[in-house]
Amino acid sequence: MPLYEHVLIARQDLSNTQAEGLIEHFSTVLADNGGKVVENEYWGVRTLAYKINKNRKGHYAFLRSDAPSAAVQEMERLARLHDDVMRVLTVRVDEHKEGPSIQMQKRDERERGDRGDRGDRGERRDRDGDRGDRGGRDGERRERRDRDDRN
């Protein structure tokens, strides 16, 4: 059977358990039509790139499935009819990647606080820890302030 990856975006005013219930609902739709969900992930509430139905955020869910095309078409049809689902994206893939999706890997890095080696981040300081004259507007303000103090 062909392999698919699905991303569902549900309304932001749902609770987490309701959003995860949608994942289970569409997993059973696929199973009832001869397919199976290999893996599912709940990505949480995320900001949308643009407003969809007056919503700025949405619950994201990711499914990896092994199902015939008729099962996928039925799942997409029911998702479009469901009031809580705003968008569905289905992509056929050659193989499923092992482990968590890229989105979940990014979340794991954020939770660990792993920022890598950033070095001194471009700030130059002398021995006393002073950054010195930064030029630009700060220097202009200082000159203006000194001029005003003299007058």
Side-chain angles (χ1 to χ4, degrees):
M1 280 190 278
L3 304 174
Y4 295 95
E5 292 181 351
H6 315 275
V7 177
L8 300 166
I9 305 175
R11 292 182 310 133
Q12 67 184 3
D13 57 347
L14 297 177
S15 68
N16 290 352
T17 54
Q18 288 174 319
E20 290 174 356
L22 284 175
I23 296 171
E24 296 303 319
H25 172 70
F26 291 115
S27 297
T28 56
V29 168
L30 285 171
D32 291 345
N33 290 297
K36 68 175 181 176
V37 174
V38 178
E39 182 182 355
N40 65 42
E41 295 174 353
Y42 172 66
W43 291 347
V45 177
R46 297 175 159 259
T47 304
L48 301 170
Y50 53 90
K51 281 185 179 182
I52 301 174
N53 301 335
K54 300 181 183 177
N55 290 299
R56 292 186 181 274
K57 294 185 176 195
H59 290 273
Y60 279 71
F62 178 69
L63 303 165
R64 289 184 175 136
S65 67
D66 183 7
S69 62
V72 173
Q73 288 174 351
E74 179 64 13
M75 188 218 45
E76 285 183 333
R77 185 184 74 80
L78 291 174
R80 278 192 226 103
L81 293 174
H82 204 285
D83 291 336
D84 293 333
V85 177
M86 295 189 297
R87 288 284 191 276
V88 180
L89 172 71
T90 300
V91 179
R92 183 174 177 184
V93 294
D94 294 328
E95 64 182 34
H96 289 300
K97 304 277 190 231
E98 291 296 320
S101 64
I102 296 295
Q103 293 295 328
M104 293 303 282
Q105 289 173 9
K106 287 181 183 178
R107 178 176 286 172
D108 291 343
E109 288 174 8
R110 274 183 275 154
E111 288 173 357
R112 280 187 276 135
D114 184 19
R115 299 284 181 152
D117 184 26
R118 290 190 170 191
D120 65 356
R121 298 194 57 169
E123 286 186 6
R124 300 184 188 273
R125 296 175 184 248
D126 61 10
R127 263 185 248 185
D128 300 330
D130 186 23
R131 290 189 281 185
D133 184 23
R134 293 169 45 152
R137 290 184 176 165
D138 290 339
E140 293 170 10
R141 284 187 195 132
R142 203 171 302 121
E143 289 175 13
R144 202 175 311 127
R145 192 174 345 123
D146 292 342
R147 199 174 333 118
D148 291 343
D149 289 343
R150 279 184 258 142
N151 293 334

